[in-house]
Amino acid sequence: MHLLQQLDIKHPILLAPMAGVSTATLAAEVSNQGALGALGLGASTPAQARQQILDTQHLTSAPFQVNFFCHQSPTLDSAAHQAWIAALAPLFAQYGATPPSTLNCIYPSFLDHDDYLDVVLALAPKAVSFHFGIPHAAQIAALKHAGIVTMVSATNLAEAQLIEQAGIDVIIAQGIEAGGHRGIFNIDIDAALSTADLVKLCVAECQLPVVAAGGIMNGQQAKHMLKLGASAVQLGTAFVACPSSAAHAAYRYALKNNPHTHITRSISGRPARSLMQHWQTRVDRPDRAAVAAYPYAYDLAKQLHAAAAAQDDHGYGAFWAGANVAQIRPLAAPDLINQLVLEMNQTA
């Protein structure tokens, strides 16, 4: 079955599930235009995830995907946490703030319990995708039994092959150009493949449908990925400037006025591509201390951002963006989908 039939969508376009930026309105607008809307729920509690799905289902009867994190939750390492807190303490002091004494695991993994699974099974969105790893076999079996399409991000061929072996339905090939967190299963192993190279590898070596993700901002780029064998494309950064996204005004300003990106572990503890901010200029120096593990480091980053933002400095915000952010177009989501489809259908 072709992926468009599998997902019951008209256009081979998927909205990336961006935690903190995606909204029910944005997801519904994309889905109502014949593409696949998305909710990034990895940073939500099960109750919050449930409400966001219900809100989206209220706005559209069309298919959409929901996304969760499948990271390996780290064991508590108090010494490492204290070292990272100490390293950032001078930055807190610049804003007259005191850093926390301890760090919290603010984002549990889908692997830790079945609370998120229960929400998905109860509300049955069309598809569920995963980042940082693969769900447990029993979780995959339950989703397949419910008829929910499963998708997992891969950043190299080994991950793609593991995804296929696990019985997942779709591979999302996330290239190095992608904004936000790298989907790598192991933060010490990153092939840093371009989206095009990764798509070609996955198409050649795997049997599953492949969705190209990373650096795609217009229909011409999308069409190129389809020619390489991708069954669809997934775009995130292209939609951050849409009025219906939850992006902060400072984030939107930076997208337009500071379109330079850099991959860093300092914000969350996992590699992620963001706009050039204080993290890259003040923290990511050659003598940087060892970063605390994800998501503990993210807890500290959010508190530093809050302290700075209270002084009207948003330079510590997690302003995720892909490598081609300079090509962003501030269109409403329905108009952007229509423009992408028009460009994809142009002959040249």
Side-chain angles (χ1 to χ4, degrees), residues 33 49 71 82 106 118 122 129 131 157-158 164 166 199-200 207 218 261 266 271 286 291 313 324 331 341-342:
Q33 290 301 116
H71 54 283
Q82 291 304 316
I106 56 174
D118 292 341
S129 62
H131 215 52
L157 181 57
E164 187 163 57
V199 166
K200 287 186 284 188
Q207 301 302 311
N218 58 50
T261 65
S266 296
V291 182
D313 184 346
N324 290 329
L331 299 172
V341 172
L342 178 64

Side-chain angles (χ1 to χ4, degrees), residues 18 31 40 50 57 91 112 158 200 243 311 316 336:
M18 302 171 285
S31 291
R50 181 178 188 277
Q57 290 175 333
L91 302 176
D112 292 345
K200 287 186 284 188
Q311 305 293 328
Y316 289 103
L336 181 52

Side-chain angles (χ1 to χ4, degrees), residues 170-213:
V170 181
I171 296 167
I172 300 174
Q174 187 201 35
I176 193 67
E177 302 94 332
H181 282 97
R182 301 283 291 141
I184 48 179
F185 294 7
N186 183 330
I187 63 170
D188 295 322
I189 302 174
D190 192 348
L193 292 167
S194 70
T195 304
D197 285 344
L198 182 59
V199 166
K200 287 186 284 188
L201 265 177
C202 291
V203 169
E205 301 295 335
C206 302
Q207 301 302 311
L208 296 180
V210 175
V211 175

Side-chain angles (χ1 to χ4, degrees), residues 1-291:
M1 182 187 298
H2 191 276
L3 182 61
L4 297 190
Q5 295 174 297
Q6 198 172 9
L7 295 173
D8 193 21
I9 57 177
K10 180 180 179 182
H11 307 302
I13 301 170
L14 282 63
L15 171 65
M18 302 171 285
V21 173
S22 64
T23 65
T25 302
L26 177 59
E29 287 177 348
V30 170
S31 291
N32 286 335
Q33 290 301 116
L36 189 73
L39 294 174
L41 303 177
S44 304
T45 65
Q48 290 168 336
R50 181 178 188 277
Q51 190 59 54
Q52 289 187 59
I53 296 172
L54 287 172
D55 290 346
T56 306
Q57 290 175 333
H58 177 72
L59 296 171
T60 183
S61 58
F64 61 92
Q65 65 158 312
V66 299
N67 175 269
F68 297 96
F69 302 150
C70 276
H71 54 283
Q72 298 294 325
S73 294
T75 56
L76 184 65
D77 188 340
S78 297
H81 294 179
Q82 291 304 316
W84 187 234
I85 292 171
L88 298 193
L91 302 176
F92 278 86
Q94 290 178 9
Y95 302 99
T98 302
S101 57
T102 59
L103 300 181
N104 297 308
C105 183
I106 56 174
Y107 298 153
S109 172
F110 193 88
L111 301 172
D112 292 345
H113 50 67
D114 283 341
D115 294 358
Y116 292 117
L117 175 66
D118 292 341
V119 170
V120 174
L121 294 176
L123 299 181
K126 184 66 178 181
V128 58
S129 62
F130 300 96
H131 215 52
F132 305 146
I134 304 170
H136 296 305
Q139 294 175 323
I140 296 171
L143 292 167
K144 293 181 80 68
H145 181 73
I148 298 170
V149 178
T150 54
M151 308 188 289
V152 176
S153 297
T155 65
N156 60 47
L157 181 57
E159 291 171 351
Q161 291 171 330
L162 288 174
I163 290 166
E164 187 163 57
Q165 292 164 14
I168 297 296
D169 298 311
V170 181
I171 296 167
I172 300 174
Q174 187 201 35
I176 193 67
E177 302 94 332
H181 282 97
R182 301 283 291 141
I184 48 179
F185 294 7
N186 183 330
I187 63 170
D188 295 322
I189 302 174
D190 192 348
L193 292 167
S194 70
T195 304
D197 285 344
L198 182 59
V199 166
K200 287 186 284 188
L201 265 177
C202 291
V203 169
E205 301 295 335
C206 302
Q207 301 302 311
L208 296 180
V210 175
V211 175
I216 304 166
M217 300 293 289
N218 58 50
Q220 289 85 3
Q221 293 161 346
K223 183 163 62 173
H224 176 63
M225 293 300 165
L226 298 180
K227 287 182 177 178
L228 294 179
S231 296
V233 294
Q234 181 168 278
L235 293 77
T237 303
F239 287 90
V240 176
C242 293
S244 54
S245 92
H248 188 276
Y251 191 174
R252 295 174 185 273
Y253 179 85
L255 286 168
K256 180 179 179 182
N257 295 281
N258 182 29
H260 308 286
T261 65
H262 178 116
I263 294 177
T264 178
R265 280 188 57 202
S266 296
I267 299 177
S268 72
R270 292 187 68 100
R273 186 181 290 278
S274 75
L275 296 175
M276 289 285 288
Q277 292 270 82
H278 294 337
W279 293 105
Q280 290 83 2
T281 58
R282 300 181 183 178
V283 181
D284 285 342
R285 307 186 69 81
D287 59 349
R288 183 191 69 182
V291 182

